[in-house]
Amino acid sequence: MPASDRRLLASIHDVSPRFSDQVDRLAERLARHLGGPRFAMLVVPDHWGDAPIAGDRAFHARLRDWHAAGIELFVHGWFHRDDSRHAGAAAGFKARHMTAGEGEFLGLGEDEALDRMRRGRALIEDIVGAEVAGFVAPAWLYGPGALAALATAGFAIAEDHLRVWAPADGRVLARGPVVTWASRSRGRIASSIAFAALARHALAPLRTVRVAVHPGDTGVPRLLDSIDAAFARLLRGRTPGRYRDLLTA
């Protein structure tokens, strides 16, 4: 398969005034690997309820600049914090073990999920004057209510840990696990580095490979080295792409 048909999709998660410095460092790093701002940013409207974008005019300007440079902007929840009471063992396990209390859309009902999706979309689109690229739930976790809300929210693209899809018709646009890293503990650091080392070879045959980085990665030199190695390997015979390319592939 020619390189033009093989894509690497990269994204920076948790873009918020709270993490401005870390996001800048990640954007600079990814731009070096990708030959420019050819990546997505996942924007959190009010991270954990104390970093609101709404009244932050300086951050509005940054969002407009990023959008003008060609960076795709996704709505990434509203609070990025899970305040739900979870029914069922499976949902409870995900909430406790797959995220540090950040699976915001895992336990929401359809109405509340749809309201947060719509408010996040309206906020970002009003700031940049253009449509957002899509929606990605915090920690890639969706409960039944969130999935039902996506069907009517009007987003062109959604993503979880194993696929990218078009919510309007359910069409799967790409499959395969995201290569990402975790900085919350020594154990998670080590396991994410090990997975990335495996994935950068095992996922190489896929047509589309996704890489996601987080602000916390910038504080761990071992993670930054692993991120660099992943990009160097996965970009062999592969073109940096954009999520919207998947809609017309």
Side-chain angles (χ1 to χ4, degrees), residues 13-14 42-44 74-81 99 102-108 113 116-117 134-143 145-147 150 155 157-161 163 165 178 210 212 214:
H13 284 225
D14 306 349
L42 279 56
V43 183
V44 184
F74 283 76
V75 181
H76 193 40
W78 183 269
F79 294 118
H80 208 290
R81 180 181 63 203
T99 175
E102 296 193 320
E104 178 184 3
F105 280 72
L106 181 60
L108 293 180
R116 295 190 193 188
M117 289 176 186
F135 178 86
V136 180
W140 293 287
L141 293 175
Y142 301 79
L147 291 173
L150 271 175
F155 291 106
I157 297 172
E159 175 188 71
D160 64 19
H161 200 274
R163 63 178 177 141
W165 76 97
V178 181
R210 294 173 291 147
H214 293 77

Side-chain angles (χ1 to χ4, degrees), residues 172-194:
V172 175
L173 306 174
R175 293 188 186 276
V178 181
V179 183
T180 191
W181 292 264
S183 59
R184 295 199 304 271
S185 67
R186 290 183 180 179
R188 289 183 180 272
I189 289 170
S191 62
S192 64
I193 289 173

Side-chain angles (χ1 to χ4, degrees), residues 54-78:
D56 192 330
R57 301 302 178 190
F59 199 78
H60 293 187
R62 291 163 66 84
L63 286 173
R64 287 192 289 267
D65 289 344
W66 287 327
H67 179 265
I71 294 171
E72 294 179 296
L73 301 179
F74 283 76
V75 181
H76 193 40
W78 183 269

Side-chain angles (χ1 to χ4, degrees), residues 15-74:
V15 174
S16 158
R18 169 173 284 177
F19 302 120
S20 289
D21 292 343
Q22 295 96 319
V23 169
D24 282 343
R25 292 200 293 274
L26 289 171
E28 180 181 356
R29 199 175 206 96
L30 266 58
R32 288 202 305 268
H33 285 293
L34 301 170
R38 302 167 71 181
F39 49 84
M41 287 185 170
L42 279 56
V43 183
V44 184
D46 187 3
H47 193 275
W48 279 65
D50 57 14
I53 290 173
D56 192 330
R57 301 302 178 190
F59 199 78
H60 293 187
R62 291 163 66 84
L63 286 173
R64 287 192 289 267
D65 289 344
W66 287 327
H67 179 265
I71 294 171
E72 294 179 296
L73 301 179
F74 283 76

